[in-house]
Each structure stands twice: as structure tokens, then as C-alpha cells.
């Protein structure tokens, strides 16, 4: 592929306007803005990918061209798909210095008590630090048990057979426009394979893997839990992650083979310039369990509906979702459960908090197909509106085509109760603290499912965000 | 006369025919109403056809609601053209001059059908029966007539009560899309006015019987400040299979008015309907409503209840029991637009055969509607392995000083309850029917006492018993 030397305009122009700073650029291969067949071919060529992947990308690109953007949900009309760099090598990622990081983010780090080294990583100021060692030790331990944990690009090269067998089987490129886009230009993401019977006790954290590469824009993650295995994967972090990319569109596929269990925990706290449009779906085979724990705190707009397709008898799916929307934010999140096989069960618990004019939506679907006898599903959505200018919407859909299925949905929208506040204040607790306490109690069903350090940080973060919002 | 398919090949012809019908109706009506019809007609012809891809039509088979696919005949007076319409217009006018009298020109079958939907043990304050939009029976008791209650056909009301009708007709269900525009252009219907301060102990009833291939009936009910009344509106869809009805209801409750409204939609096999109903509640007004959807190949009911004045409240109940290959859809919106408003919605359905039920409900709370309390529940009982229900209750809340809750369930009969009844010696079918009846009765018991509850319960039980056959 010939690479045209293209004019580089200031990539960070918009950030300069927004944040008052920008990154100097030192591109190596002269990346181009916008998307075309050539760009897709170039990505594949730069990665020296096998032919099947190149063709897969091109097919996906065609689907991307045909598909319309969703007309429901958040407003996506302001995304300019032709102004985005679809591929930057790690070395081409802009470097920036600690001084450039916005003060508000630094303050948050301070108040969350995040260690110095981590702060720089989180702020995207590069990071090669001790965790590299941690990662290698962990990796050795895992390798000895046959667990594969690597980035997706390496997996295409090194574990071709597994990848080819499962890649895009849960989310085909034509699934939706953004999945098609990801399929065409994906880069990075995790690949995990857990052999039969292996139970990985410690959560695998993307955090350790990606520190050297920085977080990708179009990540592609594939996790396969073989029969009877267990794995808990944790992605993201509670502290704000500063990203200069305005569009993040990942695709995550989970395959839970019979009797296995996958737990996938995401805490997303992108800076508020990011559109976070993610397609996540799992297939649960017989008696398998898939749990999505999904926390969305950051980004300008998130559209994310983790899904579980329950194809095996007695499979179980769960989505525990937490969304918090502050000023200017729109968290359009939810869950989808498709019951295909008999005696499958699912549970959705969604908690959302809107404040300062933020907007949260729960958008969900429970579908029970004919033949899924005895399927059970329960959906519970609670929304808390902190002030009068915020907004909360609930759009659940129950599509039940099986007589013996028992399906329930419940939702409430309310504010922090005066009586609750009064009670706590009568016990001598200041109003702001009382409000934070109530919010902590409100989201507890989710936080108690998180690894401890995440739960602690999340609670602190919520306290921080609730500061001065009541009273 | 040309056939529907011939007309479809020449688009202009359809427009001409619609215009002819509009002019025939307008000929005996006041000018302003004619103008309203003509502008609605223009809209009906210009409005884009709804597309299957649109969110609100996503679940509905639009091909079955194709307005151009149905003859614009006159049903009970089929073959009647402009001149005849004038004649019936004259009859209506004459009728409206003689309040307190009974007119009857209906066959025995009509009488039987009518008797089945009249309340038992309750004396009506007034009754208006329309056959394809033409008055066939009208009576109003002396007390109501003396109090100034008006119950008559819409055209007469438009002529004689312009100040009451003009500003309210189409104020809620205007020519917003092709369906509502067709209705407004071609409507014939009923008008009810209960003057301010009048409290009626006994219910009023409007029966709209339709036999036409395409029918566009309309009811407009207005309750003045502080008025109190009970209204029973019945749609008897008796058209051929297939036929299409687009009935419209507009209910306007002024300050402190209170209405108990029973809306019973009975559709013959193979008929289709898109019902557009709307109620607007001013300050402290209250509405208690029971909507029953029975029969019909495809019934889609849209109900908007706007709580526009402080302290307004609405209790909205719904019942359905589709069987066979019937499909019933309820699209409700609880629109909270003022502070301290309350709404409470509870729709229940028992599904048999291969029927499909869709419930799509929205609670919308505007930023100004503080201290709103809204509830919405939809419960579906699947009595057959091939029935399916889709429930989509929505909350759109832009105000934090609220309490909004909704719930939806879909499930089979509780096996423990079934076992209990069968252990008492009831055969499975009877036990099932009894449980289904009880399931629906819990809504019926909360409904306004119209004297119709036994008839409605019977009709729904019969629909469940017919089950898969219909």
C-alpha cells in the first residue's frame, strides 16, 4: 500500500479549545484522518495480518458503509467520523507531559489518593512502572496452567486457530454500525482463553496489560472460558482516564462453554469529551454463567447494553449496571437477555444517578423465544435524580414468546428522600455527607460485587461528585 | 363503482373520492367545520405514509392498516352517496331538536347487540346510538335535559353549539398523521357536554356501531368546571373481514370536573382498528377510566392522558383477552405537565390461542411537574403455549421531586394455584378459566361502577373460553 504523505492539521485542535492545551505530534507513518477502503487495507497491512482477517475487515467496512447510525438513544449526530484517526501505532500516540493534564483531573487524583505512578498512567502521560513486573509474574503463573492472556493483535498471530474459530461469532460485523466500524478498524483489546476446568482465582486486569500501549480506541476483546472453567476479567478503573480520542467503540465477545463462568467487570470513567459506544455480548452454553458488572461514570455519551444469549439449558446471565451522569453527560445504558434454551435465567439490576443536568437512560430487552420453557428473568431498575434539572428515562422491553416463562420488571425513579435526609441529619450527620451516604446505600448492590479496591475508590468518587449537589 | 385495487392504480382517483366524501359531509354542516374537514383532507393526502421502520410502528403490521386498501362505503347505508348523506343529516338535525324523545330504527339483530352492551340494573341518564355515524337512537332523561346536558351527533352540535365545539374539536387529536387526518376529514360522531357544576348520578352512554369497510367515528366529550358524570362509550365494530376502523375519542375535563369513563371496544372477527383516544385534565380534574379491548384481528389503541392542571389525577385501567390469531396493542402515555399530579395505570391481559399482546406505555414527567406521583403496571397471563406478550413500559422523567414506578410481568398460571383448584375437584380447563377470570377481575373490581362489569367479565370469559378457535 502506498502511503500518501497527507497534510497534518492540528489533531488536538478541539482539545486545545476545550482544555487550553494540546499535544505535539511526531507521527512515524503519517496516519490519515477519515475512513476508506484504503485505510482499512493499510491497517491490516501494517499489522501484517493473515488474509482472512484482511478480508474480514473489508467485509465489515462494506457493512459499515451500508448501516445507518441508530436513530434512538443518545444524539450521535455531532460525531464526525471523517475527522478521526482510525489507526495510530503506539509510538505514534501523542506524548504529553504531566503539566498538560487538566487541573480538575489532577485534583481528583489527589482526592482519590491515587499513587503518583498510577496517576501519570491514568492521565495518559505514558507509564512504564512496576506493574510491568507484576504482569510478567502473573503471566508466568497463568501460562503454566494453560491460560492464554494476551492482546488481540498477538492472538491473531499466535493463536490463529482459536481466534478464527470464535472471533466475531457472537457479534457479527453487521450487528450494528459501530460494531461494523470496530470490525473494520479494530486494534488492541484482550484475548483470553481458559482451558477446561481451570479456575483463575485472581481477577485478570486489562490494566496491567495495557499500561505500555495505552488504551485503544477500537478495542476488540474475546474471552473464551472452556468447560467448567472460571475467569474474572476487569477492565477500566474508577479514576478518571484522560483520553484525547473523541470516539471509543469497542467490541467485546464472551464465550462461556458448558458449566463455565465468566465475570466481566468494567468501570468506565473516560474524560468528558469521549463518545463511548460499545457492543458487548456473551453466549452462555449449558449451565454456564455470565455476569457483566458495568459501571459508567465518565464520558460525554455512553451507549452500552451488555447482552447475554442464553443458548444452553440452565444457563444464567446477569447484568449489574451502575450509571452516573453529571453536567453535560448522557449515560444510555442497559442490558439485553435473550433466552433461547429451557430453564435459563437472568437477572438485571440497574442503578442510575443523574445530577447537575445529567441524563441517564436504562434501555433493556428481555426476549424469551418459543421453546425456552421455564425461563425466568427479573429486571430491576432504580433511578435517583439528585436535582430538578436532571433527567432519567427507563425503556425496558419484555418480549415473551413462551408461555411457561416467568418474567418481571420493576423500575422506580425518585429523588433522595426528605425523610431519609432528615433522619440522618437528626443523627448529627451534615447534609452533604448524609446525601452521599444515601447514594452509597443506593448503589450498594453493585459496589459489593466489585473487587475491594474498586469499591473503595468508587465510593470515594461518588462522595466527591455528590459534594455540594444537595442542599 | 370502482374496486379498491383499481383505485390504487390511479392515485388521483382516491384523492377525488375522498374529496367527494368530504364535500358531501360538509354540505349540511357549518362552514368552519367544512373548512376543518378540507384542511384535514389536504393533510391526509400530503402526510407521508407511516413506515414500518419507525419506532412507533415497529411492532405493528402496517400493511393491515393501509387506509387506501379499504372502500370508503357507508356501511349500514352502503351505496348511499351525497344526496343520501344530506338526507341523514336532516334526520339528525330533526332529532336534535327533540330532546327527551326516543328514536328507533334498528333491526332485531342490532337490538340484541345493543342490549348486550347496555348496563344491567342501572338506569341511563342518556343514550346515543350511531350506526356508521348516523343517529339511530337517542334519548336523554328529563333531569339531564333540564340541567343542560347535551348528547347528540357532532354535526348538529357543530351547528348549534359552535362555541362549545369549535375550540375543542381536534384540539387533542388533530390531523397529526394520515390516520388522524383521515378521521378528521371524514368523521361522524357524538358530542357530549355536561355544563359546569352539573352532577349526574346516572351514566350516559354512546354506542358507535360500524359496518362500513372503512369507518371514522369520533366522540367529543366535554365536562365543564366542577361537573361530574359517568360515560360509557362502546364501539361495536361489525364490519366485514377485513375492514378498518379509525375511531377517535377526545375528552376534555375542565377545572375540578370528574369523569368515570368506560370505553369498551368490541370488534367482530377479522376487523382491524386503530383507536386514537385522548383526555386532557385541567386543575383538580379527575378521570377514572376502564378500557376494554375485545376481539378483532388487529386492534391498536393509543391513549394519551394529559394532566395539564395542578392536582389533576387519573386512574387508568385496561383489560384484554385476545385469542386465536388476534393481536392487540395498547400504547398509553401519562403526560404529567403540572405540579402535584397523580396517575395510576394498570393494564392486564389474559392471552389464549396464538394471540399477541403488546403494551407500550410511557410516563412522561415534564420539568414543571413537581410532586408527581405516577404508577404504571402491565401484567400478562399466558394461557396458551403459542401466545406471546411484549411489554414495554417507559419512564421519561425530567424532574426530581417525583415518585414514578412501573412494573411489568409476563408469566403462566401459577401451578400452585392450579394444583389447589384441581385438588378441590375442578377439571384443569375450569380451574384455568377461573384463575384467568380472577386475574382480570382484580382490575375490573377497581373500575368505575358502570353497571357493565358483569357484561364485560362475561365477554372476556367467553373470549378466553373460545380460546384458540377464533
Amino acid at each position: 500500500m502506498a502511503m500518501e504523505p497527507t497534510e497534518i492539521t492540528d489533531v488536538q485542535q478541539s482539545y486545545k479549545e476545550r482544555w487550553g492545551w494540546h499535544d505535539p505530534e511526531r507521527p512515524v507513518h503519517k496516519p490519515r484522518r477519515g475512513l476508506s477502503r484504503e485505510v482499512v487495507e493499510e491497517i491490516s497491512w501494517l499489522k501484517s495480518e493473515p488474509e482472512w482477517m484482511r478480508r474480514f475487515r473489508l467485509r465489515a467496512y462494506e457493512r459499515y458503509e451500508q448501516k445507518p447510525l441508530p436513530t434512538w438513544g443518545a444524539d450521535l449526530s455531532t460525531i464526525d467520523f471523517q475527522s478521526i484517526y482510525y489507526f495510530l501505532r503506539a509510538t505514534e500516540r501523542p506524548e504529553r507531559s504531566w503539566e498538560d493534564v487538566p487541573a480538575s483531573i489532577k485534583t481528583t487524583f489527589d482526592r482519590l489518593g491515587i499513587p503518583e505512578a498510577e496517576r501519570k498512567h491514568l492521565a495518559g502521560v505514558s507509564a512504564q512502572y512496576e506493574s510491568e513486573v507484576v504482569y510478567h509474574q502473573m503471566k508466568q503463573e497463568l501460562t503454566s496452567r494453560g491460560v492464554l492472556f494476551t492482546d488481540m493483535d498477538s492472538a491473531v498471530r499466535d493463536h490463529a486457530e482459536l481466534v478464527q474459530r470464535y472471533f466475531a461469532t457472537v457479534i457479527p460485523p453487521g450487528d450494528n454500525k459501530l460494531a461494523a466500524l470496530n470490525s473494520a478498524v479494530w486494534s488492541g483489546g484482550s484475548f483470553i482463553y481458559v482451558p477446561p476446568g481451570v479456575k483463575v482465582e485472581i481477577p485478570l486486569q486489562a490494566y496491567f496489560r495495557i499500561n505500555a500501549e495505552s488504551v485503544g480506541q477500537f478495542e476488540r476483546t474475546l474471552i473464551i472460558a472452556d468447560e467448567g472453567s472460571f475467569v474474572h476479567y476487569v477492565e477500566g478503573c474508577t479514576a478518571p482516564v484522560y483520553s484525547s480520542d473523541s470516539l471509543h467503540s469497542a467490541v467485546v465477545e464472551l464465550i462461556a462453554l458448558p458449566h463455565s463462568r465468566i465475570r466481566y467487570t468494567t468501570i468506565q470513567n473516560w474524560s468528558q469529551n469521549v463518545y463511548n459506544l460499545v457492543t458487548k455480548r456473551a453466549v452462555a452454553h449449558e449451565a454456564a454463567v455470565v455476569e457483566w458488572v458495568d459501571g459508567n461514570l465518565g464520558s460525554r455519551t455512553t451507549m452500552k447494553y451488555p447482552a447475554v444469549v442464553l443458548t444452553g439449558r440452565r444457563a444464567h446471565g446477569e447484568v449489574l449496571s451502575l450509571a452516573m451522569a453529571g453536567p453535560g453527560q448522557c449515560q444510555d445504558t442497559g442490558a439485553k437477555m435473550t433466552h433461547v434454551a429451557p430453564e435459563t435465567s437472568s437477572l438485571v439490576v440497574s442503578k442510575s444517578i443523574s445530577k447537575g443536568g445529567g441524563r441517564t437512560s436504562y434501555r433493556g430487552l428481555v426476549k424469551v423465544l418459543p421453546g425456552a420453557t421455564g425461563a425466568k428473568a427479573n429486571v430491576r431498575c432504580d433511578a435517583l435524580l439528585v436535582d430538578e434539572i436532571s433527567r432519567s428515562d427507563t425503556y425496558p422491553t419484555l418480549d415473551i414468546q413462551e408461555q411457561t416463562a416467568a418474567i418481571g420488571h420493576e423500575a422506580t425513579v425518585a429523588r433522595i428522600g426528605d425523610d431519609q435526609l432528615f433522619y440522618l441529619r437528626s443523627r448529627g450527620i451534615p447534609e452533604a455527607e448524609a446525601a452521599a451516604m444515601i447514594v452509597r446505600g443506593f448503589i450498594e448492590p453493585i459496589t459489593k460485587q466489585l473487587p475491594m479496591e474498586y469499591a473503595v475508590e468508587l465510593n470515594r468518587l461518588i462522595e466527591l461528585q455528590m459534594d455540594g449537589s444537595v442542599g | 363503482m370502482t374496486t379498491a385495487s383499481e383505485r390504487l392504480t390511479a392515485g388521483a382517483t382516491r384523492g377525488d373520492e375522498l374529496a367527494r366524501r368530504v364535500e358531501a359531509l360538509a354540505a349540511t354542516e357549518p362552514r368552519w367545520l367544512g373548512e376543518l374537514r378540507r384542511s384535514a383532507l389536504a393533510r391526509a393526502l400530503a402526510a407521508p405514509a407511516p413506515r414500518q421502520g419507525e419506532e412507533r410502528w415497529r411492532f405493528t403490521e402496517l400493511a393491515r392498516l393501509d387506509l387506501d386498501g379499504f372502500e370508503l362505503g357507508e356501511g349500514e347505508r352502503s351505496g348511499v352517496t351525497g344526496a343520501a348523506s344530506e338526507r341523514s343529516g336532516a334526520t339528525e338535525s330533526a332529532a336534535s331538536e327533540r330532546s327527551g324523545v326516543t328514536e328507533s330504527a334498528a333491526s332485531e339483530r342490532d337490538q340484541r347487540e345493543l342490549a348486550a352492551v347496555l348496563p344491567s340494573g342501572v338506569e341511563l341518564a342518556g343514550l346515543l346510538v350511531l350506526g356508521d355515524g348516523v343517529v339511530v337512537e337517542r334519548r336523554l332523561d328529563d333531569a339531564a335535559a333540564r340541567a343542560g346536558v347535551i348528547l347528540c351527533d357532532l354535526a348538529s352540535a357543530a351547528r348549534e353549539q359552535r362555541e362549545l365545539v369549535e375550540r375543542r374539536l381536534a384540539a387533542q387529536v388533530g390531523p397529526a398523521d394520515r390516520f388522524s387526518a383521515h378521521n378528521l376529514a371524514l368523521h361522524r360522531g357524538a358530542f357530549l357536554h355536561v355544563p359546569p357544576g352539573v352532577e349526574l348520578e346516572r351514566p350516559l352512554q354512546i354506542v358507535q356501531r360500524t359496518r362500513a369497510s372503512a369507518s371514522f367515528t369520533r366522540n367529543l366529550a366535554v365536562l365543564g368546571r366542577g361537573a361530574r358524570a359517568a360515560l360509557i362509550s362502546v364501539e361495536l365494530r361489525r364490519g366485514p373481514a377485513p375492514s378498518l376502523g379509525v375511531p377517535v375519542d377526545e375528552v376534555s375535563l375542565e377545572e375540578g370536573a370528574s369523569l368515570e369513563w368506560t370505553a369498551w371496544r368490541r370488534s367482530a372477527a377479522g376487523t382491524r382498528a386503530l383507536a386514537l383516544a385522548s383526555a386532557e385534565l385541567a386543575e383538580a380534574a379527575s378521570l377514572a377510566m376502564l378500557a376494554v379491548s375485545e376481539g378483532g384481528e388487529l386492534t391498536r389503541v393509543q391513549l394519551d392522558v394529559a394532566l395539564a392542571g395542578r392536582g389533576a389525577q387519573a386512574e387508568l385501567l385496561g383489560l384484554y383477552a385476545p385469542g386465536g390469531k388476534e393481536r392487540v396493542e395498547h400504547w398509553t402515555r401519562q403526560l404529567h405537565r403540572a405540579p402535584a399530579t397523580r396517575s395510576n395505570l394498570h393494564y392486564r391481559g389474559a392471552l389464549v390461542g396464538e394471540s399477541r399482546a403488546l403494551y407500550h406505555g410511557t410516563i412522561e414527567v415534564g420539568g414543571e411537574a413537581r410532586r408527581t406521583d405516577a404508577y404504571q403496571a402491565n401484567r400478562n397471563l399466558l394461557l396458551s403455549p403459542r401466545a406471546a406478550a411484549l411489554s414495554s413500559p417507559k419512564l421519561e422523567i425530567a424532574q426530581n421531586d417525583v415518585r414514578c414506578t412501573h412494573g411489568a410481568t409476563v408469566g403462566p398460571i401459577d401451578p400452585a394455584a392450579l394444583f389447589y383448584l384441581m385438588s378441590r375437584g375442578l377439571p384443569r380447563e375450569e380451574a384455568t378459566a377461573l384463575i384467568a377470570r380472577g386475574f382480570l377481575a382484580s382490575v375490573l373490581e377497581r373500575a368505575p361502577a358502570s353497571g357493565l362489569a358483569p357484561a364485560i367479565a362475561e365477554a372476556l370469559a367467553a373470549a378466553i373460553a373460545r380460546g384458540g378457535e377464533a
Side-chain angles (χ1 to χ4, degrees), chain A residues 345-410:
Chain A
S345 57
S346 65
L347 173 69
V348 177
V349 178
S350 163
K351 300 271 179 179
S352 69
I353 302 161
S354 318
K355 58 181 277 286
R359 188 168 173 174
T360 57
S361 302
Y362 172 82
R363 202 179 292 278
L365 172 68
V366 174
K367 190 166 189 162
V368 180
L369 298 175
T373 48
K376 286 192 168 54
N378 218 331
V379 181
R380 163 108 219 151
C381 310
D382 295 316
L384 200 59
L385 288 165
V386 174
D387 49 44
E388 289 180 13
I389 53 172
S390 302
R391 181 174 170 143
S392 170
D393 301 332
T394 312
Y395 305 101
T397 299
L398 310 178
D399 183 355
I400 314 305
Q401 301 169 25
E402 165 58 47
Q403 183 206 0
T404 59
I407 311 300
H409 165 89
E410 271 180 275

Side-chain angles (χ1 to χ4, degrees), chain B residues 208-220:
Chain B
Q208 296 254 18
R209 184 177 51 230
T210 50
R211 291 227 165 78
S213 165
S215 61
F216 303 93
T217 56
R218 187 176 268 262
N219 293 329
L220 173 60

Side-chain angles (χ1 to χ4, degrees), chain B residues 52-380:
Chain B
Q52 197 71 64
E54 287 173 77
E55 188 63 23
R56 67 198 190 104
W57 297 113
R58 203 153 65 91
F59 307 103
T60 312
E61 204 186 318
L62 270 172
R64 295 210 217 170
L65 298 177
D66 178 16
L67 285 160
D68 295 335
F70 296 93
E71 296 240 16
L72 295 169
E74 300 257 332
E76 292 187 2
R77 292 159 194 222
S78 58
V80 190
T81 50
S85 293
E86 275 168 43
R87 196 177 61 229
S88 61
T91 320
E92 284 162 26
S93 157
S96 63
E97 280 156 22
R98 288 174 289 154
S99 69
V101 285
T102 302
E103 285 188 351
S104 183
S107 71
E108 207 175 302
R109 182 189 55 175
D110 290 348
Q111 287 299 350
R112 263 204 320 276
E113 280 179 0
L114 185 59
V117 296
L118 293 177
S120 57
V122 175
E123 200 54 31
L124 288 169
L127 172 68
L128 179 66
V129 182
L130 293 94
D132 280 308
V134 177
V135 176
V136 293
E137 184 173 349
R138 194 173 86 95
R139 58 185 151 90
L140 194 63
D141 73 13
D142 291 339
R146 267 200 309 277
V149 174
I150 300 168
L151 180 63
C152 65
D153 66 284
L154 252 173
S156 307
R159 228 173 357 252
E160 291 150 26
Q161 307 288 342
R162 178 174 176 173
E163 72 291 353
L164 280 176
V165 179
E166 187 175 7
R167 68 193 162 98
R168 292 205 182 79
L169 184 64
Q172 294 179 57
V173 187
D177 58 19
R178 269 171 65 86
F179 296 106
S180 48
H182 266 81
N183 177 289
L184 189 56
L186 299 169
H187 76 267
R188 289 214 266 189
F191 176 72
L192 167 67
H193 181 245
V194 183
V198 172
E199 301 195 2
L200 295 175
E201 290 307 315
R202 292 186 281 155
L204 297 153
Q205 184 163 15
I206 298 170
V207 179
Q208 296 254 18
R209 184 177 51 230
T210 50
R211 291 227 165 78
S213 165
S215 61
F216 303 93
T217 56
R218 187 176 268 262
N219 293 329
L220 173 60
V222 180
L223 266 66
R225 188 186 283 260
R228 248 171 61 115
L231 169 66
I232 301 164
S233 67
V234 180
E235 288 166 22
L236 285 175
R237 233 176 309 288
R238 290 289 172 262
S243 59
L244 175 65
V246 183
V248 167
D249 288 291
E250 288 179 299
V251 168
S252 172
L253 304 183
E254 293 179 351
E255 286 82 353
S258 162
L259 177 68
E260 292 183 348
W261 181 16
T262 305
W264 190 1
R265 301 188 168 84
R266 305 199 81 175
S267 301
T271 60
R272 305 164 189 176
L274 175 68
L276 309 170
S278 178
E280 189 167 286
L281 281 66
E283 193 172 325
S286 94
L287 170 68
M289 180 182 182
L290 171 69
V292 181
S293 299
E294 188 202 340
E297 171 184 88
L298 170 63
T299 306
R300 172 169 162 145
V301 182
Q302 296 178 199
L303 171 68
D304 282 2
V305 175
L307 300 129
R310 174 185 289 270
Q313 48 182 303
E315 166 112 347
L316 309 168
L317 303 171
L319 287 172
Y320 46 96
K325 288 188 189 299
E326 289 170 5
R327 186 177 169 109
V328 60
E329 299 184 13
H330 291 98
W331 294 67
T332 65
R333 295 202 298 163
Q334 291 150 268
L335 307 165
H336 289 261
R337 294 185 179 144
T341 45
R342 275 185 41 199
S343 71
N344 193 344
L345 178 143
H346 201 120
Y347 272 54
R348 274 192 183 207
L351 285 67
V352 286
E354 293 169 47
S355 65
R356 295 278 180 277
L358 171 96
Y359 174 75
H360 189 285
T362 304
I363 294 177
E364 203 180 291
V365 179
E368 64 286 3
R370 57 185 66 231
R371 289 191 291 120
T372 288
D373 191 337
Y375 181 75
Q376 183 188 58
N378 172 232
R379 312 239 175 268
N380 294 283

Side-chain angles (χ1 to χ4, degrees), chain A residues 115-346:
Chain A
E116 196 68 35
E118 283 189 39
R119 293 183 191 193
K120 294 198 171 163
H121 167 65
L122 293 171
V125 188
S126 93
Q128 287 284 348
Y129 58 101
E130 292 86 337
S131 72
E132 187 85 340
V133 184
V134 178
Y135 174 50
H136 278 293
Q137 276 176 1
M138 188 171 72
K139 202 164 176 182
Q140 258 174 13
E141 156 83 18
L142 291 173
T143 312
S144 70
R145 300 173 68 188
V147 177
L148 307 175
F149 180 27
T150 174
D151 66 280
M152 199 65 222
D153 295 273
S154 313
V156 170
R157 198 173 55 238
D158 304 336
H159 311 291
E161 198 198 322
L162 273 173
V163 173
Q164 236 180 313
R165 184 154 150 212
Y166 290 111
F167 192 87
T169 55
V170 186
I171 304 172
D175 192 76
N176 63 72
K177 189 177 183 77
L178 289 146
L181 175 64
N182 175 287
S183 300
V185 304
W186 71 268
S187 213
S190 295
F191 173 79
I192 296 173
Y193 170 78
V194 188
V198 173
K199 297 199 158 48
V200 184
E201 288 85 10
I202 46 159
L204 299 183
Q205 307 205 17
Y207 180 71
F208 288 119
R209 187 185 57 70
I210 59 179
N211 77 64
E213 298 146 40
S214 159
V215 185
Q217 250 188 298
F218 300 101
E219 285 198 321
R220 184 95 197 183
T221 290
L222 174 61
I223 299 177
I224 304 146
D226 215 323
E227 288 198 28
S229 67
F230 167 68
V231 64
H232 182 188
Y233 178 78
V234 185
E235 143 194 280
C237 48
T238 37
V241 176
Y242 194 73
S243 166
S244 51
D245 302 315
S246 59
L247 172 64
H248 282 250
S249 185
V251 166
V252 178
E253 298 176 285
L254 310 185
I255 291 141
L257 292 170
H259 302 276
S260 68
R261 175 173 164 217
I262 301 177
R263 167 171 281 216
Y264 192 109
T265 300
T266 309
I267 301 290
Q268 174 271 116
N269 199 357
W270 294 110
S271 46
Q272 290 192 13
N273 55 320
V274 170
Y275 281 93
N276 187 37
L277 312 171
V278 180
T279 311
K280 289 183 165 179
R281 193 175 304 150
V283 170
H285 292 267
E286 186 177 339
V289 176
V290 174
E291 300 151 312
W292 297 100
V293 181
D294 203 61
N296 293 292
L297 305 166
S299 83
R300 176 215 296 245
T301 295
T302 294
M303 284 176 79
K304 186 182 348 173
Y305 321 98
V308 185
V309 185
L310 302 149
T311 57
R313 183 180 283 267
R314 283 186 295 118
H316 178 73
E318 257 179 54
V319 173
L320 307 173
S321 168
L322 168 68
M324 185 148 179
Q329 282 183 288
C330 174
Q331 304 282 15
D332 200 295
T333 60
K336 280 189 194 178
M337 294 290 177
T338 309
H339 294 254
V340 183
E343 294 159 58
T344 46
S345 57
S346 65

